[in-house]
Amino acid sequence: MTLLFLTQFSFGQASRKEMAESKIYVRATYFDQNNEIIGLQVRTDFKDTLIENRNFLKFKTEDFTDYSDIEKTDIYYESFKDGNYILLNRTLQTVHNIDYNKTNEQIATLFGEQVKTSLEFIDTRRSYPRDSLVATDKTPRKYFKTENSEIYALLIPALKTLAVSSDGQFYTKQLFGDNYNDISEGIKNNFQTNNRFDIQSGDEIQLFYRRKWYNDSTGIAEYQDKQFKNVKYIGDTIVDGNKSLKMEIEGYNYLSGSKEDTEEFLIQVSDSGYYSGNQFIPFKDYKTELKIIGQNGQKSFSLQGVSKDTINGFTYEKIVQATSDPYRYFILPFFPMPFVEFGNVQGIITYSKIKGIEKGTKRERTYITDENNIRDISSVSDRKVEIEIYFLDKLDIDIEIKDYETDEIIGSLKFKSKKGINSFIIETDKLEKGKSYSVQINYKGDNNSGSFSNGFKSKH
């Protein structure tokens, strides 16, 4: 049985119910194990309307391969009530009528036809054993025609959404994720922005990453601080005749307790845009752009929208981009620092200083004291590295510094640690400025042993 629904959720709202706020759908075919995207769909919800004493939500669908050229528009009426889902078309004929609380076979309406249907619960968990699934209203339910499993409607009761539907030839799938919610917000509000930033020396932002998931019992989002990056503009320079912005970046990892030393990097900028690494970001007016594109002989989607985030009272604009790959891309219209999200890690701007005006609250470093951790690693000369480590106990320590490229040991130290902070200097072979090196730390004591590793980039 084809499982076309199972895309990864990228959680990004305060409540599990808001996961279904995306109004963007993919339309595709699936034959002979070949999945081909044929178009996109956007849904627009209107007000509730009363039909035969039952409330229905009226909505419009627009089908297209490029959002600037709508190919087809339809009107539907949808109702979730007392375990029953009904979808009507514009002439109020029944498209779907399913009792989604039933777990045995039933006579239901799928695509306007009364048929015998069977049920499959879709296990979206990553835990094992798989045979331990206990279905709840959060579990996706696939109601399919018993005689043809490729004709189905997939409902998620807790989200009150028809997530996937397939008539046996074509299927329509809702795109779940915070980035799709953001783009949907931009569509609804017609958000637009321009990314021609205006900054002065000393301006900066803090990009803060946190893990996000939903509590199974409450459905409320929970967070774990992961790391932050402070990025500051310090001035201009000319490289090979091209203007570049001199930037500084430093960071801190909450999970390891490790601080990242300040590094400089350049952003080449011109009248038409700027480069972030090898990526060119044009200066232009950004708005909703949704289209199907050809790529490596296959079709994929390219989505873009403008959204707004509010973090602790600080509101800022962002340009959201999504493709068929699992990454989520963001451009800031007010600062030249694009960023990427992946999995359940969410990036937010917690602080900005633009033209000297500060907004938001800058997060600060914390210190891990319930486990061994590296506090800091930095080169203090071209032959010396300073390391600061926190240990819970007195331990026998063995440290090796290696060249990443050759795996050659260029410095080592053995010593007995004290409980608490340990700071020391390791002499090394000559370091190369800007080159990265690895640090391996092994520890052993009466009650525990282990290891951890990190790295640094030489400043000398």
Side-chain angles (χ1 to χ4, degrees):
M1 187 176 294
T2 308
L3 297 182
L4 298 171
F5 167 70
L6 297 182
T7 53
Q8 180 178 359
F9 291 119
S10 55
F11 303 135
Q13 300 294 335
S15 168
R16 185 187 296 273
K17 291 182 179 180
E18 294 177 319
M19 287 166 53
E21 284 189 345
S22 168
K23 304 302 180 184
I24 305 171
Y25 297 74
V26 166
R27 297 163 49 242
T29 62
Y30 191 86
F31 293 113
D32 299 326
Q33 305 298 312
N34 182 38
N35 187 52
E36 182 178 357
I37 296 174
I38 62 171
L40 295 166
Q41 183 181 97
V42 165
R43 166 174 166 159
T44 303
D45 291 343
F46 301 122
K47 294 182 179 179
D48 282 355
T49 184
L50 195 64
I51 301 174
E52 295 183 355
N53 295 318
R54 177 166 172 161
N55 280 327
F56 283 79
L57 174 63
K58 180 181 179 180
F59 66 92
K60 176 179 68 174
T61 61
E62 297 171 298
D63 295 353
F64 54 90
T65 56
D66 189 321
Y67 189 56
S68 63
D69 184 17
I70 303 299
E71 300 168 1
K72 180 184 177 183
T73 300
D74 273 318
I75 296 293
Y76 294 95
Y77 301 85
E78 182 180 64
S79 176
F80 287 85
K81 182 181 179 182
D82 299 330
N84 174 245
Y85 174 74
I86 297 179
L87 180 68
L88 308 177
N89 64 16
R90 66 167 66 235
T91 61
L92 304 186
Q93 294 177 318
T94 301
V95 180
H96 301 312
N97 188 339
I98 303 166
D99 290 328
Y100 56 83
N101 281 339
K102 290 186 177 180
T103 57
N104 52 357
E105 287 189 338
Q106 64 174 287
I107 300 299
T109 302
L110 291 177
F111 296 96
E113 181 184 4
Q114 279 198 323
V115 295
K116 182 185 289 186
T117 61
S118 301
L119 167 64
E120 178 184 5
F121 290 106
I122 306 300
D123 192 350
T124 59
R125 300 172 305 159
R126 296 185 177 183
S127 58
Y128 291 89
R130 287 296 192 180
D131 59 3
S132 65
L133 175 67
V134 177
T136 69
D137 64 347
K138 302 169 190 173
T139 308
R141 304 177 182 202
K142 182 175 182 178
Y143 292 89
F144 59 93
K145 186 176 180 180
T146 304
E147 296 177 354
N148 184 351
S149 63
E150 299 304 324
I151 299 176
Y152 64 87
L154 193 149
L155 300 166
I156 308 178
L159 301 181
K160 295 290 193 295
T161 189
L162 173 65
V164 193
S165 61
S166 170
D167 64 5
Q169 298 184 35
F170 303 96
Y171 72 88
T172 302
K173 177 176 67 174
Q174 186 176 11
L175 294 177
F176 286 93
D178 198 32
N179 50 343
Y180 305 119
N181 291 353
D182 287 341
I183 296 172
S184 298
E185 179 192 12
I187 296 171
K188 180 180 178 180
N189 295 284
N190 194 29
F191 287 148
Q192 301 183 40
T193 192
N194 190 290
N195 69 324
R196 190 175 290 275
F197 53 83
D198 183 15
I199 57 177
Q200 65 186 26
S201 179
D203 284 353
E204 63 178 314
I205 64 164
Q206 182 177 78
L207 171 60
F208 186 85
Y209 283 106
R210 60 187 182 184
R211 291 176 177 168
K212 187 170 188 176
W213 66 94
Y214 288 101
N215 184 296
D216 287 337
S217 299
T218 66
I220 302 300
E222 296 184 354
Y223 303 91
Q224 180 187 32
D225 295 346
K226 188 175 185 293
Q227 64 180 147
F228 64 70
K229 302 278 188 178
N230 295 329
V231 187
K232 180 183 290 187
Y233 166 54
I234 58 175
D236 296 341
T237 188
I238 302 295
V239 179
D240 297 329
N242 298 311
K243 178 184 175 181
S244 293
L245 309 180
K246 293 176 64 176
M247 313 291 288
E248 282 185 350
I249 185 169
E250 63 176 8
Y252 172 70
N253 190 310
Y254 286 91
L255 305 182
S256 68
S258 179
K259 177 180 175 295
E260 299 174 8
D261 279 343
T262 302
E263 294 184 20
E264 288 190 6
F265 66 98
L266 300 176
I267 292 180
Q268 183 180 326
V269 63
S270 68
D271 290 338
S272 59
Y274 64 95
Y275 281 93
S276 176
N278 294 322
Q279 178 190 9
F280 180 72
I281 299 172
F283 292 136
K284 67 174 187 177
D285 293 325
Y286 285 83
K287 59 181 182 179
T288 299
E289 294 181 8
L290 317 173
K291 62 183 66 177
I292 300 297
I293 58 175
Q295 191 174 30
N296 300 323
Q298 292 186 337
K299 292 180 180 179
S300 61
F301 59 78
S302 175
L303 313 179
Q304 176 182 280
V306 178
S307 182
K308 296 182 181 181
D309 263 353
T310 299
I311 307 298
N312 295 327
F314 167 38
T315 299
Y316 62 92
E317 288 185 325
K318 61 182 180 182
I319 299 156
V320 186
Q321 297 177 329
T323 65
S324 300
D325 68 33
Y327 298 94
R328 305 181 292 277
Y329 304 91
F330 300 88
I331 298 170
L332 299 175
F334 54 90
F335 199 84
M337 187 62 192
F339 62 96
V340 179
E341 295 177 349
F342 179 76
N344 72 336
V345 175
Q346 179 189 50
I348 58 176
I349 305 302
T350 48
Y351 168 86
S352 74
K353 181 181 179 183
I354 306 297
K355 303 292 285 186
I357 298 175
E358 296 182 273
K359 296 181 180 179
T361 303
K362 184 183 287 189
R363 295 293 301 267
E364 301 293 341
R365 178 181 184 177
T366 59
Y367 293 93
I368 297 173
T369 57
D370 58 352
E371 60 183 42
N372 300 323
N373 64 94
I374 302 173
R375 291 285 177 89
D376 199 8
I377 305 174
S378 62
S379 61
V380 293
S381 74
D382 61 358
R383 292 185 182 273
K384 292 182 179 180
V385 174
E386 184 175 19
I387 301 180
E388 184 179 287
I389 311 177
Y390 181 89
F391 288 111
L392 292 174
D393 301 298
K394 296 180 179 180
L395 301 166
D396 292 324
I397 309 299
D398 185 359
I399 300 178
E400 292 181 345
I401 300 176
K402 294 184 179 181
D403 186 311
Y404 266 125
E405 297 174 358
T406 65
D407 204 37
E408 177 185 359
I409 298 174
I410 63 168
S412 63
L413 179 68
K414 294 180 184 290
F415 72 101
K416 289 185 177 294
S417 76
K418 63 180 181 179
K419 183 177 180 179
I421 296 175
N422 293 254
S423 184
F424 43 86
I425 300 291
I426 299 179
E427 295 188 355
T428 67
D429 296 345
K430 187 174 178 62
L431 303 171
E432 296 181 32
K433 186 175 181 179
K435 187 173 181 178
S436 295
Y437 299 88
S438 67
V439 179
Q440 178 68 36
I441 300 169
N442 299 304
Y443 58 89
K444 186 176 182 180
D446 294 336
N447 300 317
N448 63 67
S449 62
S451 64
F452 40 79
S453 61
N454 209 315
F456 69 96
K457 184 179 289 187
S458 179
K459 296 182 291 185
H460 301 86

